[in-house]
Amino acid sequence: METGNVTTPFGRRSMTLGMLANQVMAGEIKPDQSVDKWKLFRSLCEAKPLLGIGDRALAVLNALLSFYPKNELAQGNGLIVFPSNIQLSLRTHGMAEQTVRRHLAALVEAGLLVRKDSPNGKRYVRRDRAGEVDEAFGFSLAPLLARAEEIEQLAAEVMAERLHVQRLRERITLCRRDIAKLIEAAVEEEIPGDWQGLYREFRDLIEGLPRSPTTSQLELLLDELTALRTDILNRLEIRVKSTKQRGNADYIERHIQNSNPESISELEPGFETKQGAIAEQDNDRGAVTLEKGRGEAAHPGGQKEEEQSRRPVVRNDGGGLKSFPLGLVLQACPEILAYGPDGVIRNWRDLMAAAVIVRSMLGVSPSAYEEAANVMGPENAATVMACILERGGHINSAGGYLRGLTRRSEKGEFAIGPMLMALLRANAPAGRKVG
């Protein structure tokens, strides 16, 4: 049986106070103390970052435990295992003997094993006449039994920390999604504000995170993203409240007007565009002002439907597409800049001129582009053309794609905002991801 005496290492290996402390601790095991060796090994795998051991050292320890004949580590069963390096190499799937020796030394240094060397440094066992182990020389597993509670506690701490980090990453992912979609909604709804600046601030926060962040860095990022999301929500809530109040006032005003029995607003004739007319949208009322080179003209409401169908009616009744700031379009679609006059796009006229060049280059027919301009508006048609150029490598037929978007726009099923925001994210500098 194991004597429990302090032993010094064989050969040139020196004795240290740490080794002495481990042997003293191993001698303080309670007589009835026991632990399942494989359950303890799983706890060791969890707690390895805090114990300072690696995967290969654990593989060697797993091989040592496999030579222990019982499932329960206990003082009464003896705690010495004595396999040779060749046997350990076989049970570690061919690990080199030199590597095995190095990881054995690491396990001893970590206080998980104690060497009990024989006089000649070999590992062997002496048995009595009954075949029972009288004395063994090899590695003592006593430190594992003595530190079982400590190892399980360390494993619990590592698991709790891992769960905390996982939840931090989940909350960061939710914050990122909320911020991106709220900014996208604000841009699409044309809500006043420096949304590009907020988006750049958002990207700077994400890109400033290291590839392998610490828990404190994740907590700081979550706090900053939460503050940014709160700021965006406050801005949008103010807009929603003001829109609601304005909507109630408009409703009361309309109610008073409609209560006038002499009102003939329901019977006023509609307006149509003539050849050479310029349509200018009034953003406040959705009205359309028509200017002609030689005056204005209006046709009575009783005009024949056959004549009315020849010319498109330009209007904004709340169901059409909304145009976006030119700066945002150019930031999302930088490739269109090369086709502007002198390689520069200063205004919407330059963008529409560049879109005509791109249309011809991509093989889009004039009729398809004209139809898109009639349905979406000239600015939005030019914006869509810039988006198609930006995604040219993913679109087989630019003309067919444009006609498909035109049909969807007629049905109210297409919005430019999501397309622009997707390109804006794709053209932003590549940042490190979380989670």
Side-chain angles (χ1 to χ4, degrees):
M1 296 297 292
E2 187 178 1
T3 62
N5 294 331
V6 173
T7 61
T8 57
F10 171 79
R12 296 182 179 180
R13 290 191 297 267
S14 58
M15 184 69 178
T16 64
L17 290 179
M19 295 171 61
L20 179 60
N22 290 335
Q23 293 187 35
V24 170
M25 177 187 61
E28 297 175 353
I29 299 174
K30 299 177 182 178
D32 58 345
Q33 186 177 353
S34 65
V35 65
D36 185 282
K37 65 179 182 181
W38 298 123
K39 182 179 178 181
L40 181 61
F41 181 75
R42 286 192 294 271
S43 297
L44 278 167
C45 293
E46 292 288 350
K48 67 179 181 179
L50 301 180
L51 293 171
I53 55 175
D55 297 338
R56 305 199 79 184
L58 285 173
V60 173
L61 182 58
N62 180 77
L64 284 173
L65 290 174
S66 69
F67 284 101
Y68 189 77
K70 306 287 185 180
N71 282 332
E72 293 286 329
L73 287 178
Q75 187 78 30
N77 297 332
L79 294 171
I80 301 293
V81 289
F82 39 87
S84 65
N85 287 340
I86 295 177
Q87 291 174 318
L88 285 174
S89 177
L90 292 174
R91 294 207 184 182
T92 52
H93 307 287
M95 186 183 295
E97 291 186 34
Q98 184 178 359
T99 306
V100 170
R101 286 194 294 269
R102 185 170 69 251
H103 290 301
L104 286 171
L107 290 170
V108 172
E109 186 178 354
L112 300 176
L113 294 178
V114 169
R115 293 181 185 272
K116 187 179 179 183
D117 289 342
S118 64
N120 61 1
K122 302 295 184 181
R123 301 171 203 155
Y124 58 87
V125 63
R126 286 201 182 96
R127 300 181 183 273
D128 56 19
R129 293 184 177 181
E132 297 294 332
V133 175
D134 182 41
E135 190 171 15
F137 298 97
F139 292 99
S140 173
L141 303 176
L144 292 178
L145 183 57
R147 300 179 62 184
E149 293 183 3
E150 176 196 353
I151 292 170
E152 291 174 357
Q153 183 177 356
L154 292 176
E157 291 177 5
V158 171
M159 293 172 67
E161 178 71 9
R162 184 186 302 126
L163 181 60
H164 178 56
V165 170
Q166 180 182 352
R167 289 177 177 173
L168 282 176
R169 291 181 181 274
E170 289 174 352
R171 293 173 64 188
I172 288 172
T173 299
L174 291 175
C175 264
R176 290 181 60 180
R177 185 181 69 190
D178 292 346
I179 291 171
K181 288 186 178 291
L182 288 172
I183 293 177
E184 180 180 335
V187 172
E188 185 175 351
E189 296 293 333
E190 298 181 348
I191 297 175
D194 185 16
W195 301 112
Q196 295 185 43
L198 289 173
Y199 185 77
R200 285 194 295 269
E201 180 182 350
F202 165 59
R203 293 306 310 172
D204 290 342
L205 289 176
I206 299 302
E207 292 163 9
L209 192 69
R211 184 176 296 274
S212 299
T214 63
T215 303
S216 60
Q217 289 172 328
L218 290 175
E219 290 172 345
L220 178 61
L221 176 63
L222 178 60
D223 291 339
E224 293 174 336
L225 290 178
T226 301
L228 180 59
R229 180 178 62 180
T230 302
D231 182 24
I232 294 172
L233 283 173
N234 289 338
R235 298 185 186 209
L236 295 179
E237 286 175 2
I238 293 173
R239 178 68 177 182
V240 169
K241 290 178 181 178
S242 63
T243 303
K244 185 177 181 181
Q245 292 173 356
R246 187 169 65 248
N248 290 337
D250 291 344
Y251 173 78
I252 294 172
E253 182 180 356
R254 288 196 303 271
H255 179 71
I256 294 173
Q257 291 176 351
N258 292 337
S259 299
N260 185 1
E262 297 181 0
S263 175
I264 58 173
S265 61
E266 297 281 334
L267 303 177
E268 290 181 354
F271 291 96
E272 292 185 350
T273 56
K274 288 283 189 177
Q275 258 185 336
I278 301 175
E280 179 182 333
Q281 179 177 332
D282 184 343
N283 290 329
D284 293 333
R285 291 293 184 183
V288 175
T289 302
L290 300 181
E291 298 180 2
K292 287 186 57 182
R294 297 180 179 178
E296 300 182 355
H299 295 274
Q303 187 179 12
K304 295 181 181 180
E305 296 180 1
E306 186 175 344
E307 183 178 354
Q308 289 177 342
S309 63
R310 296 175 186 173
R311 301 179 180 91
V313 178
V314 180
R315 66 182 186 275
N316 180 11
D317 55 3
L321 291 178
K322 299 178 181 179
S323 59
F324 290 83
L326 179 62
L328 177 64
V329 174
L330 297 179
Q331 187 176 356
C333 309
E335 291 189 15
I336 194 73
L337 290 168
Y339 300 91
D342 299 325
V344 179
I345 294 179
R346 304 177 184 86
N347 49 46
W348 281 106
R349 186 182 299 276
D350 290 348
L351 179 64
M352 288 186 279
V356 172
I357 297 175
V358 171
R359 172 202 65 73
S360 176
M361 182 189 71
L362 296 180
V364 177
S365 65
S367 61
Y369 186 72
E370 183 179 358
E371 181 183 4
N374 289 334
V375 173
M376 303 178 185
E379 292 88 354
N380 287 326
T383 300
V384 170
M385 209 68 239
C387 293
I388 292 176
L389 173 65
E390 201 70 27
R391 301 185 62 234
H394 305 280
I395 298 174
N396 294 328
S397 173
Y401 186 73
L402 180 62
R403 288 188 184 275
L405 295 183
T406 303
R407 287 192 294 270
R408 290 175 56 193
S409 183
E410 287 178 328
K411 299 176 183 178
E413 299 175 351
F414 170 64
I416 298 179
M419 179 185 293
L420 281 178
M421 293 306 295
L423 290 173
L424 195 64
R425 287 193 294 269
N427 289 327
R432 298 179 177 88
K433 298 183 179 179
V434 180

